[in-house]
Amino acid sequence: MTDDPHTAPAGFQVKRIYEAPEPDDGYRVLVDRLWPRGVAKATAHIDEWAKDITPSSELRRWFHEDPPGRHDEFTDRYREELSARTAHEILVRLRGLARTKPPVTLVTAVKDPDNSHVPVLLQMLRE
């Protein structure tokens, strides 16, 4: 297993919601707090919308004001949010799904998943 935060842990993969769903996507989890513009729920084939493991609206807005300058603090604050009981329970459940019925596809609308909340989420799923 790699320590690269941008590499999905075993059993997980990341796709943008604008990519067509495929049968080998497995269990598809939307990991954005807001529903993506221009995407019909019927065609997105999302199995779960996991709002409780996404950055809070306040944290998301704060981070988007200066992503490069706020990255480290964002990571710390987001990890703290992910340690909340509800988020922790979802992470545990998703890890279990990835082990028993892989893959679990984390679906996002962000333009650049490598420079968003997704690597932090992947790191937490790896732990």
Side-chain angles (χ1 to χ4, degrees), residues 6-92:
H6 304 287
T7 302
F12 288 94
Q13 60 186 358
V14 176
K15 286 183 96 172
R16 292 196 66 228
I17 197 156
Y18 304 107
E19 297 174 53
E22 297 177 13
D24 63 350
D25 284 350
Y27 191 77
R28 291 172 51 93
V29 182
L30 180 62
V31 293
D32 292 337
R33 185 159 296 269
L34 304 174
W35 188 265
R37 288 179 189 233
V39 177
K41 290 180 182 178
T43 60
H45 300 283
I46 296 297
D47 296 299
E48 179 178 351
W49 187 2
K51 292 180 188 179
D52 288 325
I53 61 169
T54 66
S56 64
S57 295
E58 176 186 325
L59 181 58
R60 181 179 45 81
R61 283 194 286 274
W62 173 84
F63 177 61
H64 286 292
E65 290 174 9
D66 181 17
R70 295 182 171 177
H71 181 267
D72 291 343
E73 186 177 347
F74 168 78
T75 297
D76 293 341
R77 290 173 61 181
Y78 182 35
R79 287 179 64 88
E80 186 176 321
E81 288 184 358
L82 288 171
S83 68
R85 182 177 179 182
T86 302
H88 176 75
E89 290 171 354
I90 294 170
L91 294 174
V92 168

Side-chain angles (χ1 to χ4, degrees), residues 1-6 123 126:
M1 189 178 324
T2 180
D3 288 334
D4 181 355
H6 304 287
Q123 190 170 24
R126 192 176 288 111

